[in-house]
Amino acid sequence: VALFPAPTMPWPLLLLLPLLLLAVSGAQTTRPCFPGCQCEVETFGLFDSFSLTRVDCSGLGPHILPVPIPLDTAHLDLSSNRLEAVNESVLAGPGYTTLAGLDLSHNLLTGVSPTAFSRLRYLESLDISHNGLAALPAESFTSSPLSDVNLSHNRLREVSVSAFTGHGQGRALHVDLSHNLLHRLVPHPAGASPPAPAIQSLNLAWNRLRAVPDLRDLPLRYLSLDGNPLAAVGPGAFRGLAGLTHLSLGSLQGLPRLAPYGFRELQGLQVLDLSGNAKLKWAGADVFAGLDALQELDLSGTSLVPQPDVLRLRLPALQSVSVGQGVRCRRLVREGSYPRQPGSSPKVALRCVDTGERAAKGPNAL
């Protein structure tokens, strides 16, 4: 007869379990930091053998620079300090060489030195939003493998695409230039070395662009031109952007007009947002020519009322469309009571309902 009950788990596994948990999850602690700043340490691995520190020095004032940071700092927050200038000398020293994230938002910066970030060889995320930047040097980020750059809410009037050519060439890059004064985006020179930056997501909303900029060398997947005073969208406007999957042209200013075949180059587009354009004008069904992959179309807040048959023919992949005030239509496939004949196709219709729980007048009415 056993005097002691057998353990439900072998003892070696019981002893290793806490170590295994430490290896897959991090523990957060605080550590001594520069006066006024907060340092939060996150440890990983067996016996906390690996650590990363987030340093928060926000809201302390311009006297904070230069600030010493721990050697294992991964993210530094210098936001809301009324900083007027940041150069290479204040972003140098132990801890900065391995910095992955830097927040300079909500300051008083009016310019950026071409070498300001030259020593940040591992910088992936940079936030300079809500400042007063009026210009961006062409070689601002050449030393850093950036994947996310936020330049929104500044006073930029003209930006060169080449400014975002960085050390991490080929890395997918998200760039936010919304809420500036942009009237021109200078394209990357054809055949130039290094090649154009790998910008996959570009937010140009709420600027002063009167025409779709030349973006043909960029591997864009997402593009927003919301709130710009675009005069028209015509043939060739999106030349070279066959890989674009999401395009937003909401709340355009002025009297925008959609010309025939304006979206013809966007063979891979899946989502098109034209919402909020009360004065938008179009030239009939040929506007949608070439959008064979489009699945979602938003026409809410516009006066555009295309016929269901037109949408089915011009947009064969369309799954849903929003029109009028709160009316949403979805693709409906009716197979019928009997098996279809070989070579025949199912009957496709658009069923529209009021999102306010009221049914539309008919199953195919827009």
Side-chain angles (χ1 to χ4, degrees):
V1 178
L3 298 178
F4 300 98
T8 57
M9 182 182 295
W11 282 109
L13 290 182
L14 287 174
L15 293 174
L16 286 175
L17 185 58
L19 302 181
L20 293 174
L21 291 175
L22 284 176
V24 298
S25 62
Q28 291 185 347
T29 59
T30 57
R31 69 188 302 176
C33 205
F34 187 79
C37 300
Q38 294 183 350
C39 290
E40 185 178 271
V41 182
E42 189 168 5
T43 56
F44 307 87
L46 295 176
F47 305 107
D48 296 338
S49 58
F50 180 67
S51 66
L52 294 174
T53 301
R54 297 179 63 90
V55 180
D56 185 351
C57 295
S58 60
L60 299 179
H63 67 277
I64 190 67
L65 295 183
V67 55
I69 57 178
L71 292 175
D72 61 353
T73 300
H75 185 274
L76 174 61
D77 187 347
L78 294 173
S79 64
S80 304
N81 279 315
R82 303 189 301 280
L83 302 177
E84 297 182 0
V86 173
N87 52 43
E88 180 182 357
S89 63
V90 300
L91 296 177
Y96 285 89
T97 53
T98 57
L99 200 62
L102 177 61
D103 188 347
L104 293 168
S105 65
H106 296 274
N107 279 293
L108 304 176
L109 302 177
T110 57
V112 174
S113 167
T115 61
F117 311 108
S118 61
R119 298 187 182 183
L120 306 184
R121 303 284 180 172
Y122 297 93
L123 190 66
E124 297 180 2
S125 176
L126 176 62
D127 189 347
I128 323 179
S129 64
H130 296 272
N131 277 279
L133 297 182
L136 192 65
E139 300 180 352
S140 299
F141 313 119
T142 55
S143 301
S144 304
L146 288 167
S147 60
D148 194 314
V149 183
N150 188 350
L151 291 162
S152 65
H153 297 273
N154 277 282
R155 302 188 62 80
L156 296 169
R157 295 179 177 273
E158 181 177 295
V159 169
S160 172
V161 171
S162 302
F164 302 100
T165 301
H167 178 65
Q169 196 64 32
R171 177 193 292 262
L173 178 61
H174 168 74
V175 177
D176 190 346
L177 286 165
S178 63
H179 296 275
N180 274 277
L181 305 174
L182 288 176
H183 67 274
R184 184 177 180 226
L185 198 67
V186 181
H188 188 75
S193 181
I199 301 177
Q200 291 193 8
S201 176
L202 181 59
N203 189 350
L204 295 172
W206 300 101
N207 278 283
R208 298 182 179 180
L209 298 170
R210 296 189 174 277
V212 178
D214 185 354
L215 304 168
R216 72 183 72 185
D217 290 328
L218 302 181
L220 282 178
R221 305 280 291 175
Y222 172 91
L223 174 62
S224 175
L225 291 165
D226 292 351
N228 280 279
L230 297 182
V233 175
F238 299 101
R239 185 179 294 113
L241 296 181
L244 196 68
T245 61
H246 189 293
L247 174 61
S248 188
L249 297 170
S251 303
L252 298 177
Q253 304 300 298
L255 297 171
R257 183 175 183 273
L258 300 181
Y261 307 103
F263 301 114
R264 182 167 50 186
E265 293 87 4
L266 301 178
Q267 296 92 346
L269 196 67
Q270 298 178 16
V271 179
L272 177 58
D273 187 350
L274 295 169
S275 63
N277 289 297
K279 299 180 180 180
L280 187 65
K281 298 183 181 297
W282 72 315
D286 287 339
V287 164
F288 300 115
L291 295 178
D292 295 340
L294 194 70
Q295 298 180 21
E296 184 176 336
L297 175 63
D298 193 343
L299 298 173
S300 59
T302 74
S303 58
L304 306 184
V305 188
Q307 296 299 315
D309 290 340
V310 172
L311 292 179
R312 290 199 302 271
L313 291 175
R314 292 293 184 180
L315 306 174
L318 189 66
Q319 299 295 321
S320 67
V321 56
S322 299
V323 295
Q325 298 296 325
V327 177
R328 188 173 183 86
C329 306
R330 292 191 177 277
R331 183 185 180 93
L332 178 66
V333 179
R334 295 168 178 164
E335 295 287 352
S337 303
Y338 303 96
R340 299 197 310 273
Q341 296 296 324
S344 65
S345 57
K347 184 178 181 180
V348 177
L350 289 175
R351 180 175 179 81
C352 303
V353 295
D354 193 319
T355 55
E357 304 300 330
R358 293 176 299 152
K361 291 183 179 180
N364 298 327
L366 287 179

